[in-house]
Amino acid sequence: SNFTVKRIGCIGAGYVGGPTMSMIAKYCPHIDVYIFDLNQTRINAWNSDNLPIYEPGLDEIVQERRGKNLFFTTDYTEAVIKSDVVFLSVNTPTKHYGLGKGRQADLKFIELCARQIRDSVKTGHKIIVEKSTVPIKTAMAVSRILKTSSDSQATFDILSNPEFLAEGTAVKDLENPDRVLIGGENPAAIKILADVYANWVKREQIIQTNLWSSELSKLVANCFLAQRISSINAVSAICEATGANVNEVAHAVGMDKRIGSRFLQASVGFGGSCFQKDILNLTYLAEHYHLKEVADYFYGVISMNDWQKQRFAQKVVHKLFNTVSSKKLSVLGFAFKKDTGDTRESSSIFICSKLVEERAYLNIYDPKVSELQIMDDIMRVMNDAYDGDFSAHLDTTPESEMVRRCVKVIKDPYECVKDTHAVLIMTEWDEFKTYDWKKMYDSMKKPAFLFDGRNILDHSKLEEIGFDVYSIGVAE
Ligand code: NAD
Ligand code: UGA
């Protein structure tokens, strides 16, 4: 037919919706791109000089296209009703109530989007694109809802087009993706979306599958990536016990092309909004289909990650003569990885809360995370509260009082480290490598300990300075 894409809309102006749509706007000047969100503060930030998320290279693209063919808005009609293609890029967090609590993906935001589209779009044809990460068969639910309008002439195609970008490198990943995956039933609809990406992605990298393969591939990709980290972290414990060095092992093993060298960096454990959520989601699905062995197999990835975080916190306590009570420790890095201000599921949160429980005082520094965010995050875990729940009453619990008393967020790394017993490197920020570590050492209590949770510093140099250095996967 003569369906052409003149306008693309996106519901959800988050870490995925914002960068993804900005990239489409950059490479498709003939298409108007509208990003819609219910959160007015977030939309205002997208329209300001201070974008709500930090991604290297993103500011330039937004500045270049905003107001030309890229619009951030809370106007549903402009963004959704008038668009030919609508991406659903809302959050799909782990459910924290009722059936499937702590495991299942909460699809209420996706369902709400579908219902709102059904109730507001009455004519014409639209392509609805699942961009969010969802359980297998979500497209079926979306499709069923869209078909249930009693008074509508509108028709829809549903496509699955999961996103594989990583935070901190979103712009690079979107410019030059390993692949773009489009799942669907109608080849004509798939072609229309493929044509949009073909404005900058090579055709052979745009692959098509059926809907369910596409939805599943996204979960599987994240499981495999997380599995590599848990594997190397498991190996790191063997290294510490035996005298092998995990960096050397990762290098030697990764040179086998079948294994590959990337994603083998031992660490204090993976964080981020998606790995844990998506593994939980897949294991829940496996159980739903009575595949307990499959569920257990992938669940091991999470158990290993939990243990790695726990192990790190315990090591700090152990090495500081079995007590950190009333000792001041400095934490460098709070984001879940470098080059992002995102802290969702960051290992730092867990480890800081464990150390607060041990009655330590913490000085925390991160180049991109705000004080408010850091305090909220630690209070939330210590109160066993979930994301949306943070409310006034939690502000006055004994746990929150303790966090306020014990945790200080400090804007200068040298101030942060001063007078502390130990430095804990929690995020692999490049700037940590450039510090004057002699100056840091001189300002610290002695013996001065350094725990490198990312293996990014030059340990022999630090030892020469006088530090007691402990890293991941290196025997003492
Ligand atoms: P996010 O929380 O940053 O953004 C989601 C946005 O959707 C929020 O701004 C929220 O206000 C908005 N929203 C929710 N319901 C809405 C509604 N009914 N109408 C309008 N706006 C609504 O989430 P994110 O990190 O961008 O992730 C989005 C999805 O993409 C998730 O399914 C996630 O698993 C997936 N994903 C994320 C990443 C990543 O790196 N963060 C990468 C790949 C895939
Ligand atoms: C991850 C995937 O890499 C993306 O492909 C995917 O789209 C995304 O999840 C998603 O679905 O949300 P992200 O979580 O943003 O991206 O960042 P990663 O680079 O994957 O890092 C995740 C965590 O693993 C970080 O805490 C990182 O420090 C840790 N990590 C990573 C390691 O500990 N070792 C490594 O070798 C690699």
Side-chain angles (χ1 to χ4, degrees):
S1 68
N2 52 3
F3 184 88
T4 52
V5 182
K6 294 198 202 69
R7 186 183 288 213
I8 289 178
C10 173
I11 307 181
Y15 284 89
V16 169
T20 312
M21 293 302 121
S22 299
M23 196 56 69
I24 292 179
K26 174 173 172 183
Y27 285 104
C28 308
H30 54 289
I31 297 176
D32 285 331
V33 180
Y34 282 78
I35 313 181
F36 169 80
D37 206 294
L38 293 169
N39 183 336
Q40 181 75 55
T41 321
R42 220 165 196 193
I43 289 298
N44 291 347
W46 279 111
N47 283 318
S48 78
D49 287 336
N50 204 354
L51 301 187
I53 68 172
Y54 171 69
E55 276 297 339
L58 182 63
D59 286 27
E60 289 84 337
I61 299 175
V62 170
Q63 250 161 40
E64 165 71 26
R65 301 314 314 169
R66 197 171 53 196
K68 299 200 178 92
N69 69 330
L70 176 65
F71 306 92
F72 298 91
T73 179
T74 52
D75 184 336
Y76 190 79
T77 305
E78 286 299 320
V80 179
I81 299 182
K82 290 191 185 170
S83 287
D84 310 302
V85 176
V86 178
F87 285 81
L88 309 182
S89 191
V90 297
N91 38 330
T92 51
T94 304
K95 223 178 141 185
H96 60 85
Y97 51 87
L99 202 67
K101 174 177 169 168
R103 302 282 308 275
Q104 197 177 6
D106 193 344
L107 286 180
K108 69 177 172 196
F109 303 115
I110 288 276
E111 190 180 324
L112 220 66
C113 287
R115 287 178 187 276
Q116 202 174 359
I117 291 171
R118 178 198 63 192
D119 295 342
S120 61
V121 177
K122 297 293 172 190
T123 57
H125 185 73
K126 282 193 198 324
I127 298 177
I128 307 298
V129 185
E130 280 177 1
K131 181 52 101 178
S132 301
T133 303
V134 293
I136 325 168
K137 298 278 160 143
T138 299
M140 187 150 75
V142 172
S143 163
R144 277 199 57 198
I145 290 170
L146 289 175
K147 280 188 187 133
T148 55
S149 171
S150 50
D151 64 334
S152 172
Q153 309 300 313
T155 53
F156 301 97
D157 278 303
I158 320 289
L159 298 178
S160 158
N161 171 223
E163 185 48 59
F164 296 100
L165 69 81
E167 287 176 31
T169 52
V171 170
K172 257 175 43 198
D173 296 340
L174 288 166
E175 291 268 356
N176 194 10
D178 287 349
R179 77 317 210 171
V180 167
L181 174 57
I182 304 175
E185 280 161 358
N186 178 2
I190 294 177
K191 174 154 189 324
I192 287 164
L193 186 58
D195 286 348
V196 172
Y197 283 106
N199 283 292
W200 78 96
V201 180
K202 288 200 202 82
R203 284 281 176 187
E204 58 268 31
Q205 279 167 310
I206 306 174
I207 59 174
Q208 315 181 1
T209 64
N210 77 32
L211 275 167
W212 323 127
S213 302
S214 174
E215 289 176 339
L216 177 58
S217 297
K218 173 63 198 177
L219 296 180
V220 170
N222 274 356
C223 278
F224 280 27
L225 288 167
Q227 170 271 321
R228 285 174 70 90
I229 304 170
S230 277
S231 294
I232 200 68
N233 282 342
V235 170
S236 79
I238 302 184
C239 290
E240 287 165 39
T242 57
N245 176 317
V246 77
N247 302 317
E248 293 177 356
V249 174
H251 182 66
V253 169
M255 274 179 80
D256 187 325
K257 288 200 185 68
R258 294 169 303 174
I259 295 171
S261 61
R262 296 172 63 190
F263 250 73
L264 286 180
Q265 175 66 54
S267 68
V268 70
F270 62 75
S273 63
C274 291
F275 280 171
Q276 173 156 321
K277 157 176 89 71
D278 293 349
I279 296 167
L280 289 170
N281 188 345
L282 189 72
T283 59
Y284 188 80
L285 277 161
E287 272 177 25
H288 171 82
Y289 292 105
H290 306 293
L291 303 169
K292 187 178 177 305
E293 285 73 10
V294 177
D296 291 349
Y297 177 72
F298 284 116
Y299 194 79
V301 175
I302 294 180
S303 319
M304 181 53 61
N305 196 51
D306 287 342
W307 185 67
Q308 185 77 350
K309 295 187 269 189
Q310 182 89 42
R311 210 162 72 78
F312 186 85
Q314 280 169 357
K315 180 171 235 171
V316 172
V317 176
H318 178 63
K319 293 298 167 192
L320 272 83
F321 314 108
N322 289 314
T323 176
V324 292
S325 170
S326 300
K327 286 180 184 159
K328 211 191 276 176
L329 313 176
S330 44
V331 174
L332 297 185
F334 201 78
F336 80 96
K337 63 185 282 196
K338 75 171 178 180
D339 293 339
T340 178
D342 194 353
T343 63
R344 291 179 289 180
E345 302 293 334
S346 176
S347 300
S348 247
I349 304 175
F350 173 84
I351 287 161
C352 288
S353 77
K354 286 288 158 209
L355 294 170
V356 169
E357 274 171 25
E358 291 287 341
R359 302 283 190 274
Y361 290 99
L362 303 181
N363 282 354
I364 303 180
Y365 165 80
D366 186 284
K368 285 288 173 203
V369 184
S370 72
E371 173 169 5
L372 193 71
Q373 185 70 51
I374 292 174
M375 298 303 276
D376 266 17
D377 282 338
I378 301 176
M379 283 186 200
R380 224 187 294 121
V381 263
M382 293 205 57
N383 283 294
D384 223 354
Y386 288 90
D387 230 333
D389 298 351
F390 200 70
S391 60
H393 86 275
L394 290 178
D395 216 30
T396 56
T397 64
E399 287 80 10
S400 300
E401 291 295 342
M402 184 144 118
V403 174
R404 252 191 305 273
R405 196 155 38 79
C406 298
V407 178
K408 256 203 209 123
V409 177
I410 296 186
K411 296 244 161 9
D412 175 81
Y414 292 91
E415 276 305 306
C416 180
V417 165
K418 203 173 141 205
D419 290 327
T420 63
H421 288 269
V423 180
L424 281 52
I425 307 281
M426 302 300 286
T427 311
E428 72 281 24
W429 284 104
D430 289 332
E431 66 170 66
F432 297 166
K433 296 185 223 169
T434 68
Y435 291 165
D436 181 344
W437 284 102
K438 173 80 172 78
K439 185 172 158 192
M440 296 267 187
Y441 176 80
D442 288 340
S443 74
M444 288 174 68
K445 294 239 165 39
K446 306 295 171 336
F449 293 85
L450 189 143
F451 298 88
D452 187 349
R454 297 288 186 166
N455 292 358
I456 55 166
L457 299 178
D458 182 341
H459 297 160
S460 49
K461 214 158 151 194
L462 291 169
E463 275 162 2
E464 246 169 62
I465 292 172
F467 278 106
D468 277 355
V469 181
Y470 297 97
S471 45
I472 305 279
V474 182
E476 287 140 23

